[in-house]
Amino acid sequence: MKKVVVGLSGGVDSSTAAALLHNQGYEVIGLTLWLMKGKGQCCSEGMVDAAKICEQLGVPHHVVDIREVFQTYIVDYLVTGYSAGITPLPCSQCNKAVKFGPMLNYAKENLDCDKIATGHYARINWNADTGRYELLRAFDRNKDQTYFLYDLAQDILSSVVFPLGELQKSDTRRIAAEQDLETADKPESQDLCLVESNGSMRAFLDKYLAPKEGEIVDVDGKILGKHDGIHHYTIGQRKGLGIAAAEPLYVISIDAVNNRVVVGDRTKATKPECTVNRVNWVAIAAPESPIRAEVQVRYRTKPVPVTIIPLTNSRVRIVFDEPQFSITPGQAAVWYDGEKVLGGGIIEQFT
């Protein structure tokens, strides 16, 4: 019997993934990561629901306390980033450093198992021609989570199973109901657990960063208003600026050194290119010459055609065919060839 450790958050997706593998004859072991204190889908009530699913399936359930890891790689990472005027993307960082890596290590070292599974909507394919594991978009494009998984290395991809990759979300709900799973009717969780547990990103950040009044200025340096902390702003933001103007204004840059938020019209928040660092190449090895691809610069944005120019193995310049709005340092840029993830990294700066 094949053995697999299934990461269980207590939601319907991971619960259904565990049930599907159990029904396929796998020896399933449930594993829940304790990420933070207090309320949150992946923590307090999530652990209870995960335990119920394991009891229902008749499989063991392990809880691993990695709150210190989560504090370092996610909480501290976010606070440091926002205080420096960038908008970090925690989910890809969490998947790599907090979830998949620790899960696989625990499975190997404590459970004599070299396979892990999650409820993510994505697919994996082995390409014998390239000798690489490929990360492919899910069949359900509305739920596809490859944007958050681009940073998984080959050793992780070789050990992961995504049972929901070829399902629609409606199929997942239907299967959960047919299996009479405890979580079948559980509401969707928010994409970011810290928002879920704190009520908003602003509330979370205000726990760690004190108010610091500064100026809101236009591109010429004219003072238009005041702000109470640069961490409350992100590139492309329009609402909540607290200033009146004859035309819509957007945040176009954040000057952490001078504690200023710079605003302008939409054209000034539109950029022709950007640089990306901390690049992870997935389907291909790092190229030596420019390649064509489609890039997503936010989770819910459409992929757009670009030329990717390698600078080093871990840094590239992305030139958009058409200038793009709201290119945000700290967010991920993930490039695709059709449904295949070629690579991705963190937006460093725009030009």
Side-chain angles (χ1 to χ4, degrees):
M1 184 182 295
K2 297 171 289 186
K3 185 188 292 187
V4 62
V5 171
V6 182
L8 290 171
S9 65
V12 65
D13 291 333
S14 60
S15 301
T16 305
L20 285 171
L21 292 170
H22 185 258
N23 292 343
Q24 291 169 14
Y26 281 85
E27 179 186 347
V28 170
I29 302 172
L31 175 62
T32 301
L33 302 176
W34 186 5
L35 302 181
M36 59 185 178
K37 296 179 180 179
K39 183 180 179 181
Q41 292 287 351
C42 60
C43 298
S44 53
E45 67 267 29
M47 283 192 282
V48 173
D49 289 340
K52 289 179 180 178
I53 290 298
C54 287
E55 182 178 4
Q56 187 175 358
L57 296 176
V59 302
H61 182 226
H62 294 250
V63 176
V64 179
D65 185 350
I66 59 168
R67 287 176 292 171
E68 290 186 6
V69 176
F70 186 80
Q71 178 71 35
T72 299
Y73 283 96
I74 303 305
V75 176
D76 295 350
Y77 172 70
L78 281 171
V79 172
T80 300
Y82 274 97
S83 65
I86 69 172
T87 307
L89 179 72
C91 296
S92 58
Q93 171 98 345
C94 190
N95 283 328
K96 178 181 180 179
V98 179
K99 292 181 178 177
F100 285 82
M103 273 181 59
L104 184 57
N105 288 339
Y106 185 87
K108 289 180 176 180
E109 294 172 6
N110 298 278
L111 302 173
D112 189 28
C113 179
D114 60 4
K115 284 290 182 184
I116 60 175
T118 71
H120 286 89
Y121 287 84
R123 294 178 293 139
I124 293 174
N125 176 63
W126 166 252
N127 188 323
D129 293 332
T130 62
R132 298 177 75 92
Y133 286 91
E134 298 173 338
L135 179 64
L136 307 180
R137 288 192 185 275
F139 280 9
D140 189 338
R141 289 292 292 268
N142 290 324
K143 293 297 294 182
D144 173 60
Q145 291 170 297
T146 52
Y147 176 80
F148 297 120
L149 299 169
Y150 78 88
D151 211 16
L152 297 182
Q154 287 289 303
D155 63 327
I156 300 291
L157 293 177
S158 69
S159 303
V160 175
V161 180
F162 292 132
L164 308 186
E166 297 184 2
L167 298 180
Q168 300 293 315
K169 179 68 180 196
S170 57
D171 295 327
T172 300
R173 286 284 186 190
R174 174 182 54 77
I175 293 169
E178 291 173 352
Q179 297 289 313
D180 199 27
L181 299 180
E182 289 275 349
T183 54
D185 297 321
K186 192 170 183 177
E188 290 287 284
S189 63
Q190 296 186 27
D191 289 329
L192 189 57
C193 59
L194 289 171
V195 170
E196 195 152 30
S197 62
N198 289 276
S200 67
M201 179 56 75
R202 184 187 184 101
F204 161 72
L205 292 170
D206 284 345
K207 291 169 57 177
Y208 296 91
L209 297 172
K212 185 178 180 181
E213 187 177 272
E215 298 167 343
I216 299 177
V217 301
D218 65 16
V219 291
D220 297 318
K222 179 182 178 181
I223 299 174
L224 303 179
K226 298 288 186 179
H227 67 77
D228 60 355
I230 60 171
H231 57 281
H232 293 147
Y233 298 85
T234 186
I235 303 299
Q237 180 178 334
R238 176 184 172 186
K239 296 181 179 179
L241 300 183
I243 54 177
E247 60 181 354
L249 295 177
Y250 302 82
V251 175
I252 60 174
S253 67
I254 298 173
D255 182 354
V257 174
N258 296 303
N259 193 32
R260 280 182 157 189
V261 175
V262 183
V263 299
D265 62 31
R266 188 178 177 91
T267 61
K268 293 183 174 64
T270 303
K271 305 297 179 181
E273 61 181 69
C274 66
T275 55
V276 176
N277 62 11
R278 292 170 49 189
V279 169
N280 180 51
W281 293 98
V282 184
I284 60 174
E288 297 180 355
S289 57
I291 63 171
R292 293 287 294 170
E294 290 186 320
V295 164
Q296 271 183 246
V297 294
R298 294 274 183 138
Y299 176 43
R300 290 301 184 188
T301 59
K302 288 185 177 181
V304 295
V306 296
T307 299
I308 297 175
I309 303 169
L311 302 175
T312 67
N313 281 354
S314 60
R315 192 165 178 264
V316 303
R317 183 162 85 248
I318 295 177
V319 181
F320 301 99
D321 284 16
E322 296 182 4
Q324 295 297 304
F325 174 72
S326 186
I327 305 301
T328 307
Q331 293 291 294
V334 181
W335 41 97
Y336 295 80
D337 177 9
E339 62 180 6
K340 184 188 307 180
V341 176
L342 297 179
I346 299 299
I347 297 170
E348 183 179 46
Q349 61 184 17
F350 49 75
T351 56

